[in-house]
Amino acid sequence: MNENDLHAQREATAIQYFRLVDAADPALLELFADDAQMFFPKFGTAKGLAQIGAFAQGFARGIANIEHDIAHFNVLTSGDYVVVEGAVKGETTSGVEFPDGSSTFGLFCNVFEFQGEKIKRLHIYEDPDFAGTHTDGASWGQSVRDSM
């Protein structure tokens, strides 16, 4: 497989990751190398397939549905890395729809590092407060917006 084909395969795997997350499909773990690592804010780092699977199950307990706007992703590939910037919407299991457009915006950036065709490392950068309930930590933002 030449470098262009490998980059295309890696981008396809990154996009497939989001499709599988949206479907809550356990086949998601098949995209990862056995010793993969994954980081998520307010969670930390999961190491290996068992921990990544446990994270996914825990995450799913709080989300009734989730949908990534795959058609409008920005995808950048360089070497062993694929970076995906995009937006997500959904609903928590408590019935709160996200994003709300005032304190939650549904924007994220994921950095995938590949080893061959498998995800070796994934860092997810997004606000884990989908429901906008962690207002104490972001109250300064509202006061600044109000003064603008």
Side-chain angles (χ1 to χ4, degrees), residues 89-106:
K89 65 181 180 179
E91 184 179 352
T92 67
T93 52
S94 60
V96 177
E97 291 184 9
F98 62 86
D100 66 15
S102 65
S103 68
T104 63
F105 300 95

Side-chain angles (χ1 to χ4, degrees), residues 1-18 31 75-84 112-120:
M1 179 179 299
N2 68 41
E3 189 172 340
N4 288 336
D5 291 340
L6 184 58
H7 283 173
Q9 177 58 47
R10 289 171 170 174
E11 288 179 9
T13 298
I15 299 302
Q16 181 66 4
Y17 163 87
F18 293 102
L31 303 178
V75 180
L76 305 163
T77 302
S78 179
D80 291 334
Y81 294 88
V82 175
V83 178
V84 179
F112 297 85
E113 181 182 355
F114 283 85
Q115 182 174 32
E117 296 181 19
K118 297 282 189 173
I119 300 167
K120 174 182 177 178

Side-chain angles (χ1 to χ4, degrees), residues 9-147:
Q9 177 58 47
R10 289 171 170 174
E11 288 179 9
T13 298
I15 299 302
Q16 181 66 4
Y17 163 87
F18 293 102
R19 288 190 177 107
L20 294 172
V21 167
D22 290 356
D25 189 331
L28 174 78
L29 291 176
E30 296 171 13
L31 303 178
F32 287 88
D34 291 341
D35 61 347
Q37 293 187 14
M38 187 208 73
F39 169 82
F40 189 85
K42 303 286 187 190
F43 172 80
T45 302
K47 297 178 180 178
L49 295 179
Q51 288 185 8
I52 293 170
F55 166 84
Q57 289 177 343
F59 179 83
R61 281 196 298 268
I63 303 294
N65 65 65
I66 191 166
E67 180 183 347
H68 291 86
D69 186 9
I70 293 171
H72 295 102
F73 278 178
N74 292 317
V75 180
L76 305 163
T77 302
S78 179
D80 291 334
Y81 294 88
V82 175
V83 178
V84 179
E85 178 187 51
V88 62
K89 65 181 180 179
E91 184 179 352
T92 67
T93 52
S94 60
V96 177
E97 291 184 9
F98 62 86
D100 66 15
S102 65
S103 68
T104 63
F105 300 95
L107 301 176
F108 69 87
C109 185
N110 284 15
V111 179
F112 297 85
E113 181 182 355
F114 283 85
Q115 182 174 32
E117 296 181 19
K118 297 282 189 173
I119 300 167
K120 174 182 177 178
R121 184 177 69 88
L122 170 59
H123 280 203
I124 301 169
Y125 299 101
E126 74 180 301
D127 184 355
D129 181 18
F130 299 112
T133 58
H134 306 158
T135 56
D136 289 346
S139 59
W140 67 269
Q142 183 62 45
S143 66
V144 171
R145 279 193 302 277
D146 291 346
S147 70

